[in-house]
């Protein structure tokens, strides 16, 4: 691995059933739902590539082949667009395939996020000492937090996660960190991590936000955990196990925005937010929304 690259592979768990988006997800994987015109997973792939990843390891379940197909070239469509001089569309169609090389790994049983990440272990080369994990439900904005996290790994070693400050009862929907300060107010040392605690038992207001740089040691920890919250093998529990064994874990507190594409309410907000910033659709949407809200 080149010294300047903290990780070469980025794991994107995308094996879920997407039940909150039924009936659409009967046939369309949740990860392909468009944010304006681009599937959420392409946004996440672009973020991974921007941070230096060369390979996207998409963990899918049987029947979700369309997720990887999105990253394959489409020669016939590309030829047609070329003939018609539709250069801007051609660029859009080619973008996913050009961003990053994609490999899929199948998770045959829905045993949880920890299990999904563990499925990617065999796809890593022997010299990859760390891996990024990006949960495609989470959009962390603006992008760039992975690069900050990589710098923290370079300084402290071990694993580095992204945290959001969530001061309220919603904290119980997340993995929550027990932290202490470092010299940098946006970097905390992690002493423990618990998955979806009751709000009054949360060790802090810092929640895991779907971006991880994990030392390769996590794969060994994932083999040793037992089912946790929701009866599933939790990535949080593998991180907690590493911490208990002295492995350094830090978080970068992201002070920017985020969207949760994992449920229709969050998805609608993301869609509107991106559409408002779109040069073609933004101005008209803004004025329509204004009058719609008055009415
Ligand atoms: C997962 C993780 C959790 C994390 C969250 C971020 O939970 O298990 O630790 O805080 O993603 O979105 P899920 O939302 O899949 O239940």
């Amino acid at each position: 691995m080149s010294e300047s690259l903290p990780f070469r592979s980025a794991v994107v768990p995308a094996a879920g059933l997407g039940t909150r988006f039924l009936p659409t997800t009967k046939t369309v994987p949740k990860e392909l739902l468009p944010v304006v015109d681009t599937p959420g997973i392409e946004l996440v792939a672009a973020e991974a590539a921007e941070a230096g990843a060369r390979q996207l390891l998409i963990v899918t379940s049987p029947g979700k082949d369309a997720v990887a197909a999105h990253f394959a070239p489409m020669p016939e469509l590309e030829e047609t667009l070329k003939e018609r001089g539709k250069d801007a569309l051609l660029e859009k169609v080619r973008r996913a395939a050009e961003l990053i090389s994609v490999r899929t790994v199948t998770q045959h049983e829905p045993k949880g996020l920890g299990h999904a990440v563990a499925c990617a272990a065999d796809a890593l080369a022997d010299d990859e000492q760390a891996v990024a994990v990006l949960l495609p439900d989470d959009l962390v904005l603006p992008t760039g937090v992975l690069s900050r996290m990589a710098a923290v790994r370079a300084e402290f070693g071990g694993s580095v996660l992204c945290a959001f400050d969530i001061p309220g009862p919603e904290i119980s929907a997340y993995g929550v960190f027990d932290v202490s300060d470092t010299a940098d107010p946006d970097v905390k040392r992690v002493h423990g991590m618990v998955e979806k605690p009751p709000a009054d038992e949360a060790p802090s207001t810092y929640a895991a936000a779907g971006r991880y740089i994990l030392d390769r040691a996590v794969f060994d920890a994932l083999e040793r955990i037992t089912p946790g919250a929701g009866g599933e093998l939790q990535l949080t529990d593998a991180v907690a196990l590493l911490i208990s064994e002295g492995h350094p874990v830090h978080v970068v507190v992201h002070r920017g925005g985020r969207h949760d594409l994992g449920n229709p309410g969050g998805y609608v907000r993301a869609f509107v937010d991106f559409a408002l910033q779109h040069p073609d659709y933004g101005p008209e949407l803004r004025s329509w929304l204004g009058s719609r809200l008055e009415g």
Side-chain angles (χ1 to χ4, degrees):
M1 176 159 68
S2 139
E3 287 305 317
S4 59
L5 277 180
F7 49 84
R8 209 154 69 208
S9 300
V11 178
V12 177
L17 295 174
T19 49
R20 282 174 287 188
F21 283 97
L22 283 169
T24 298
T25 43
K26 282 166 73 184
T27 54
V28 180
K30 173 180 70 170
E31 295 77 12
L32 293 183
L33 296 178
V35 180
V36 186
D37 55 8
T38 304
I41 197 160
E42 186 175 321
L43 301 176
V44 166
E47 180 188 342
E50 178 194 305
R54 301 284 168 79
Q55 165 172 254
L56 204 65
L57 294 171
I58 304 181
V59 184
T60 55
S61 47
K64 291 186 78 173
D65 298 343
V67 177
H70 178 72
F71 292 89
M74 293 201 78
E76 282 181 24
L77 175 60
E78 291 172 26
E79 200 46 47
T80 306
L81 293 172
K82 214 169 168 179
E83 278 166 20
R84 297 184 184 170
K86 307 265 188 203
D87 293 345
L89 286 181
L90 184 61
E91 204 178 303
K92 278 186 173 188
V93 167
R94 285 182 169 163
R95 180 170 178 259
E98 287 172 353
L99 271 176
I100 191 164
S101 116
V102 166
R103 196 167 152 189
T104 53
V105 179
T106 306
Q107 183 188 25
H108 290 281
E109 290 167 274
K111 288 187 182 170
L113 178 60
H115 180 255
V117 171
C119 289
D122 290 344
L124 297 181
D126 291 345
D127 64 343
E128 291 186 78
Q129 296 310 317
V131 68
V133 175
L134 291 85
L135 306 190
D137 278 357
D138 292 308
L139 292 184
V140 179
L141 302 165
T143 58
V145 75
L146 281 171
S147 300
R148 292 183 63 206
M149 290 159 62
V152 172
R153 173 169 153 93
E155 185 177 352
F156 295 105
S159 299
V160 184
L161 288 72
C162 175
F164 273 94
D165 194 3
I166 303 191
E170 311 88 70
I171 191 86
S172 62
Y174 297 92
V176 185
F177 304 107
D178 181 7
V179 296
S180 63
D181 291 341
T182 69
D184 182 335
D186 289 345
V187 178
K188 313 276 179 201
R189 170 101 195 203
V190 183
H191 303 282
M193 188 178 179
V194 48
E195 182 68 13
K196 299 188 175 65
D200 59 357
E201 288 171 27
S204 75
T205 59
Y206 294 109
R211 297 293 179 272
Y212 310 73
I213 295 178
L214 299 171
D215 189 276
R216 199 184 179 112
V218 77
F219 292 106
D220 176 65
L222 282 166
E223 282 179 17
R224 293 183 286 131
I225 57 169
T226 52
E232 299 190 329
L233 291 168
Q234 296 290 352
L235 185 55
T236 291
D237 293 343
V239 173
L241 178 57
L242 287 175
I243 295 168
S244 73
E245 293 171 349
H247 178 91
V249 176
H250 290 80
V251 290
V252 169
V253 181
H254 183 70
R255 310 279 181 190
R258 76 191 169 108
H259 285 298
D260 178 4
L261 299 178
N263 68 83
Y267 171 77
V268 168
R269 246 185 290 186
F271 197 110
V272 171
D273 191 22
F274 275 64
L276 284 170
Q277 297 166 53
H278 195 286
D280 295 344
Y281 314 120
E284 205 184 316
L285 176 64
R286 190 173 298 274
S287 87
W288 180 80
L289 274 177
S291 52
R292 177 69 181 80
L293 292 174
E294 275 166 23

